[in-house]
Amino acid sequence: MTILKWAGNKSALMPELLKHLPKGPRLVEPFAGSCAVMMATDYPHYLVADINPDLTNLYRQVQDKSESFIASAMGFFETANNESAYYKVREDFNHSREITNFWRAIFFLYLNRHGYRGLCRYNKSGYFNVPYGNYKAPYFPEAEIRAFAEKAKRATFICTHFEETLNMLMPGDVLYCDPPYASDNGVVFTCYHTEGFTEDDQYRLASILTRRAQQGYRIVASNSDSMLSRSLYRAFDCHNITAARSIGVAPGEGKSAAEIIAVSKPAAWFGCDFASARDYSAIHEVRA
């Protein structure tokens, strides 16, 4: 279990992911998400990054002040479990300049556990805009916070763009990437942070990962099982999996989705440059 409810949480997929994650002195994650992979692995050190400052702030606060965080957040959960309180907290979270980083982290956890389906979504102005979830008894993750604080003793949390994180790689690092997923129909979820994650970002990420694999880094990446993803990661070994999905599924549809786990091959196997295949048709011609 993880501290946060999270779309794309990898907890259920960890038995499959663990088959492909090699041992090493440090695991680097440019897309922190729920930190399910950190919590389910046992690397000596972790570098965990995300572009969302609210997410990384939460992890730092729990890392540094877990007991006071639990005490304050638990009391807050007990007294603010109603719709009017939720929208007041959301308003303060978005507009108040007097909230400390400690209380902003508590508000973020509260909004995650009380908001609709645990979504993390911001509008273009940078305001959190998830509606109230109307849960009778939102779960307070006390045990998960304590477990996270213990594992976080080995971790460094940074708020930065994935390219900056990938520039911090050191020899021996294992890299796991779980970006917002690619889509063949051009529909990409871009509200996780105000900067979004576009199709151009998908190309850029795949290009960098390919070069890093050529340099000998051991890389594992998750993505949708789409034509675009398989083109982007065609120089990797792509393993098919089926993942449970509760968000983005229409009524009557199966609540599962096909995904791939892309695993880097030995450096000598690589020979293609994704930067030269910028348009979709060109990538498919290369793949054919």
Side-chain angles (χ1 to χ4, degrees):
M1 293 288 289
T2 56
I3 295 175
L4 297 170
K5 297 165 66 176
W6 203 256
N9 188 311
K10 290 293 177 288
S11 294
L13 297 181
M14 283 312 303
E16 193 63 34
L17 266 177
L18 288 171
K19 298 176 184 178
H20 304 289
L21 286 169
K23 294 181 180 179
R26 184 174 72 160
L27 179 68
V28 178
E29 290 192 75
F31 305 93
S34 66
C35 278
V37 176
M38 185 188 85
M39 294 307 299
T41 54
D42 193 28
Y43 288 89
H45 301 283
Y46 296 86
L47 176 61
V48 182
D50 203 277
I51 200 170
N52 185 329
D54 294 320
L55 188 64
T56 53
N57 177 58
L58 170 65
Y59 292 152
R60 286 171 178 166
Q61 296 301 322
V62 171
Q63 181 184 43
D64 295 337
K65 307 168 185 175
S66 59
E67 290 304 320
S68 57
F69 184 93
I70 289 171
S72 298
M74 184 181 294
F76 194 61
F77 267 54
E78 292 173 352
T79 60
N81 183 26
N82 59 75
E83 185 172 3
S84 61
Y86 177 86
Y87 286 110
K88 176 62 168 62
V89 171
R90 196 181 76 171
E91 178 71 14
D92 289 343
F93 183 79
N94 284 331
H95 297 286
S96 176
R97 296 182 180 181
E98 299 178 0
I99 301 174
T100 64
N101 286 337
F102 179 79
W103 274 98
R104 188 167 181 84
I106 290 175
F107 282 11
F108 186 66
L109 176 64
Y110 167 89
L111 291 170
N112 172 263
R113 288 286 174 176
H114 290 73
Y116 181 72
R117 288 192 171 185
L119 282 172
C120 182
R121 189 182 66 192
Y122 300 78
N123 63 22
K124 292 183 179 180
S125 298
Y127 297 138
F128 189 89
N129 64 357
V130 177
Y132 181 57
N134 197 29
Y135 301 111
K136 291 183 178 180
Y139 176 70
F140 181 72
E142 180 178 0
E144 290 79 0
I145 292 172
R146 294 186 190 280
F148 184 93
E150 182 63 28
K151 180 62 72 69
K153 293 176 181 178
R154 307 184 219 169
T156 299
F157 299 98
I158 58 175
C159 181
T160 188
H161 190 271
F162 71 83
E163 290 192 55
E164 296 180 50
T165 307
L166 294 175
N167 284 332
M168 299 177 188
L169 290 176
M170 300 173 62
D173 281 345
V174 175
L175 176 63
Y176 174 67
C177 287
D178 184 29
Y181 280 6
S183 172
D184 287 333
N185 61 15
V187 177
V188 181
F189 179 72
T190 60
C191 301
Y192 164 70
H193 185 264
T194 51
E195 292 188 20
F197 198 85
T198 66
E199 191 169 291
D200 282 342
D201 290 319
Q202 297 284 355
Y203 284 105
R204 181 63 179 159
L205 174 62
S207 175
I208 296 173
L209 295 185
T210 300
R211 290 200 300 271
R212 290 302 193 187
Q214 290 171 336
Q215 295 167 355
Y217 287 100
R218 296 163 297 170
I219 300 170
V220 179
S222 295
N223 217 305
S224 58
D225 188 359
S226 63
M227 294 178 68
L228 175 57
S229 295
R230 287 187 172 274
S231 295
L232 292 172
Y233 294 96
R234 65 188 181 278
F236 289 62
D237 283 325
C238 292
H239 304 268
N240 301 334
I241 59 171
T242 300
R245 176 180 291 178
S246 60
I247 294 175
V249 179
E253 291 184 354
K255 295 185 180 297
S256 63
E259 297 185 7
I260 60 169
I261 299 175
V263 182
S264 60
K265 299 177 182 179
W269 291 26
F270 285 79
C272 39
D273 180 6
F274 283 87
S276 65
R278 285 297 299 113
D279 65 86
Y280 194 77
S281 60
I283 280 188
H284 283 283
E285 288 174 8
V286 173
R287 182 171 182 247

